[in-house]
Amino acid sequence: MIKERHLNMALIVVCVVIPVWAHLADEPFIITLMTRAAIFALAAVGLNIALGLGGLVSLGHAAFFGLGGYAMGISAFHAQTFTPVAEWPFLIEGTKSMPAIWLISVAVSAFAATIVGILSLRTSGVYFIMITLAFGQMFFYFSISWPTYGGEDGLSVYVRNGFPGLNTLDPIQFFMICFAILVAALALASRLARSPFGLALNAARQAPQRVETVGLDPNRLKLVAFVISGAMTGLAGALFADLNRFVSPAMFSWQLSGEIMVFVIIGGVGRLFGPVAGALVFVTLEHLLGGFSEFWHVHLGVLLLLVVLFGRGGLIGMICGREGSHD
Amino acid sequence: MTEAVLATHAISKNFGALKASDNISIDLRPNEIHAIIGPNGAGKSTLIAQICGTLKPCAGNVELLGRDVTKESARDRVRAGLGRTFQISALAMEDTVLQNAMLGALGASGRPWRFFGPALRDNELRDAAECALLRVGLEDFMRVRTAELSHGQRRQLEVAVSLTLNPRVFVMDEPMAGLGSEGSKRLTGFLDALRHEAPILLVEHDMDAVFALADRISVLVYGRIIATGSGNDIRANPEVQEAYLGDEA
């Protein structure tokens, strides 16, 4: 069996080597694919905090992904049309600066995750899945029916947002930005899992009654996990919108929520690099099989079935065996 | 008479027509072990749940350390000094023994909102957890997954987790359940000394342990306390013999 640490290192190497090779070989499309994988992985690392650590099966994470995307789209829309976002109670201008947009997306999706989390955590099990799905659909229909920001047609952003000192239109540079954020998110998720908060959250997933009898509130722990999770997925949404230079209600769709969950499940629920493995496999299949048939999801379905039936710990679990203790 | 650390005053709980608790008044005094015995379905677990705050009584109130806590949540009661162990082990099975014990220490510290430093390197938490595990004799199993422990070891871990809370009152729901005679003897010795740290309200089926440990015994039958007294009083009580001991002893 390969040690999980070594497999993680290998995944990181793959994520760096392929784009660098593609850059040298002048294959910008491959770089774009890898950027797409890195952004999906980031969204799934976010979901994995709620799902893997907190045991919260959220089928509404596209809501945060879409909110991040629209936070970017709306900021950039106002900046490129030279109109303010709001004039009251104080003037808010649009922006084309990535760091500012990231902050906005994180803040907006964290706020939304707080509201959705407070209401959804009153339920559990199947009801939690349904209520998060319902929230996702609410955002979806709201975005469709808001003509100011394109409604069903979405919003186009003509020039990719800027990052000080970098040319974001250069595929490899934009990839590096996304990759750096992914690595930071993985570092955060890893520290979180080992922290005192992670210890308590882990127990809240497995034995909420126990957490209660040591004087802690399991639901509050889960809510904080849900907010961190939503914020991370929101940041991924902002990057995804920047990658495509386009946002549309499709970013809010429940299919996307399902896909983010599929990344986590294929890679391995609760495994640090599970989302990375899942997103890489997904994007690879999408690219390779998507060329043969538009029904390529059938193959993804078969893979998902196999992983769920035979590898309880996802692909990472199949390769590395059961998770070792955190030391 | 010394002041009770824990008391219920005429609490009642109905589930439809079933009177699970019928006007129960019991108390627990410093340095004592007060055992509650009764046949299956007598309402022992319902009583424990009301004392610990997971069920609200329909009438009456619960007093902890001289304060009426009837309206307080289970968590508030834990923070006030109530340490509980479960009849069926409620532990994080995927985590190690040490992690489970550290959860108790973390709860006692009241500071779970720390997102960065590794919990296992937090010496304060770790010392408290290791000390509790040492006391129940699980020091050689700290790195073992809880799911791999034997049933009896899980019972020991339950006790260890409650020790990390440094409670002022223990409420133990059948800590001996499923222990072999060896383990049962060992835990009996441990609880015997523990009473001087904090008094114990003990619900137990193991009659040898109950009569060896309890300063006072209350007998619960169909939701009512039919007798309270020393071991000898209870043994001699004809009503108790008929209702309970008669079948088993």
Side-chain angles (χ1 to χ4, degrees):
Chain A
M1 287 257 155
I2 301 173
K3 280 222 173 104
E4 190 167 342
R5 206 155 17 106
H6 298 158
L7 181 67
N8 294 351
M9 282 311 293
L11 283 169
I12 285 282
V13 169
V14 165
C15 284
V16 176
V17 167
I18 293 182
V20 168
W21 165 79
H23 179 67
L24 296 174
D26 200 20
E27 296 265 12
F29 180 66
I30 303 283
I31 304 180
T32 302
L33 278 185
M34 287 303 290
T35 313
R36 191 176 157 85
I39 293 170
F40 279 156
L42 176 63
V45 170
L47 177 65
N48 204 20
I49 291 174
L51 181 64
L53 285 179
L56 300 169
V57 186
S58 164
L59 202 46
H61 258 52
F64 311 123
F65 196 68
L67 277 173
Y70 268 87
M72 173 279 185
I74 291 170
S75 302
F77 169 76
H78 285 283
Q80 71 192 8
T81 57
F82 301 104
T83 51
V85 180
E87 290 181 60
W88 191 90
F90 44 84
L91 185 73
I92 304 172
E93 302 261 17
T95 174
K96 292 282 287 177
S97 153
M98 271 190 196
I101 285 170
W102 295 341
L103 278 180
I104 297 167
S105 341
V106 166
V108 168
S109 40
F111 177 72
T114 310
I115 306 290
V116 171
I118 287 173
L119 295 169
S120 307
L121 278 167
R122 301 170 74 94
T123 65
S124 61
V126 175
Y127 299 99
F128 184 85
I129 301 178
M130 286 298 127
I131 197 167
T132 49
L133 174 63
F135 274 114
Q137 291 302 90
M138 256 173 56
F139 282 104
F140 176 70
Y141 286 110
F142 185 78
S143 67
I144 280 189
S145 52
W146 199 10
T148 319
Y149 296 119
E152 240 172 315
D153 299 328
L155 269 177
S156 282
V157 176
Y158 307 121
V159 179
R160 192 172 280 157
N161 297 304
F163 188 92
L166 293 176
N167 172 16
T168 54
L169 281 169
D170 180 8
I172 191 74
Q173 294 195 33
F174 184 63
F175 168 80
M176 284 303 172
I177 292 175
C178 297
F179 179 68
I181 293 179
L182 173 63
V183 170
L186 285 166
L188 183 77
S190 153
R191 302 204 74 174
L192 208 63
R194 291 156 198 245
S195 70
F197 170 77
L199 179 78
L201 180 64
N202 224 328
R205 180 187 77 241
Q206 300 171 56
Q209 208 181 11
R210 162 60 55 201
V211 175
E212 197 122 15
T213 38
V214 300
L216 301 175
D217 183 344
N219 274 347
R220 208 178 291 168
L221 292 162
K222 287 179 184 173
L223 177 63
V224 171
F226 194 73
V227 172
I228 296 173
S229 164
M232 219 176 250
T233 303
L235 181 58
L239 292 171
F240 191 68
D242 239 331
L243 173 68
N244 302 323
R245 278 167 275 169
F246 176 65
V247 259
S248 76
M251 280 183 76
F252 281 120
S253 70
W254 68 270
Q255 287 94 331
L256 191 73
S257 293
E259 279 175 1
I260 302 175
M261 196 178 292
V262 166
F263 306 151
V264 177
I265 293 172
I266 286 188
V269 177
R271 311 301 280 254
L272 182 61
F273 274 70
V276 180
L280 279 173
V281 167
F282 181 88
V283 170
T284 309
L285 285 181
E286 183 184 47
H287 175 59
L288 294 181
L289 301 174
F292 293 121
S293 153
E294 62 182 296
F295 302 112
W296 70 275
H297 279 93
V298 172
H299 303 279
L300 181 73
V302 171
L303 177 70
L304 185 62
L305 208 62
L306 290 175
V307 166
V308 171
L309 283 177
F310 299 110
R312 297 293 302 273
L315 288 175
I316 304 246
M318 286 165 111
I319 298 170
C320 306
R322 213 177 56 182
E323 196 170 14
S325 60
H326 294 291
D327 286 297
Chain B
M1 189 183 116
T2 42
E3 180 120 344
V5 261
L6 176 70
T8 67
H9 300 293
I11 58 172
S12 295
K13 180 79 189 175
N14 304 327
F15 296 113
L18 177 76
K19 284 185 173 176
S21 299
D22 187 2
N23 207 19
I24 297 180
S25 297
I26 53 165
D27 65 350
L28 180 68
R29 297 169 198 156
N31 301 316
E32 91 167 336
I33 293 180
H34 186 162
I36 297 179
I37 61 173
N40 288 328
K44 298 186 296 282
S45 292
T46 308
L47 175 62
I48 293 284
Q50 292 172 88
I51 289 172
C52 295
T54 43
L55 271 182
K56 296 272 174 275
C58 299
N61 51 53
V62 179
E63 198 182 300
L64 177 63
L65 301 162
R67 204 155 53 89
D68 184 353
V69 294
T70 318
K71 293 201 170 63
E72 288 184 15
S73 70
R75 277 196 309 284
D76 290 335
R77 295 182 203 194
V78 173
R79 290 205 197 100
L82 189 93
R84 176 189 193 180
T85 70
F86 289 96
Q87 181 180 3
I88 297 159
S89 297
L91 297 161
M93 290 297 172
E94 294 168 25
D95 290 353
T96 63
V97 169
L98 181 63
Q99 282 172 320
N100 268 288
M102 284 181 70
L103 177 70
L106 182 63
S109 78
R111 296 183 299 127
W113 308 112
R114 284 177 290 151
F115 301 94
F116 293 106
L120 288 172
R121 299 239 180 87
D122 184 318
N123 289 330
E124 207 176 305
L125 294 183
R126 199 166 172 145
D127 288 349
E130 287 179 353
C131 174
L133 290 172
L134 190 70
R135 287 184 67 188
V136 299
L138 280 179
E139 68 275 12
D140 294 334
F141 295 89
M142 287 201 247
R143 304 200 148 268
V144 175
R145 258 169 200 262
T146 305
E148 286 160 20
L149 289 186
S150 72
H151 182 78
Q153 288 169 325
R154 289 183 201 170
R155 313 296 319 173
Q156 285 168 284
L157 181 54
E158 278 277 332
V159 175
V161 175
S162 70
L163 283 176
T164 60
L165 295 170
N166 286 320
R168 299 183 55 191
V169 183
F170 285 101
V171 175
M172 298 193 178
D173 197 354
E174 301 200 23
M176 316 274 179
L179 287 187
S181 65
E182 183 61 32
S184 175
K185 221 175 272 170
R186 192 174 166 170
L187 190 56
T188 304
F190 181 72
L191 295 185
D192 199 15
L194 189 63
R195 78 177 89 189
H196 299 295
E197 220 169 284
I200 305 170
L201 187 70
L202 179 71
V203 171
E204 189 47 67
H205 264 303
D206 181 335
M207 285 305 138
D208 292 338
V210 166
F211 283 103
L213 283 173
D215 299 289
R216 285 187 300 155
I217 300 173
S218 291
V219 185
L220 188 64
V221 178
Y222 295 122
R224 271 187 330 109
I225 298 283
I226 59 168
T228 297
S230 69
N232 288 334
D233 294 346
I234 294 299
R235 252 188 279 245
N237 186 317
E239 210 180 339
V240 175
Q241 280 170 359
E242 189 191 337
Y244 186 49
L245 292 174
D247 312 334
E248 289 193 13

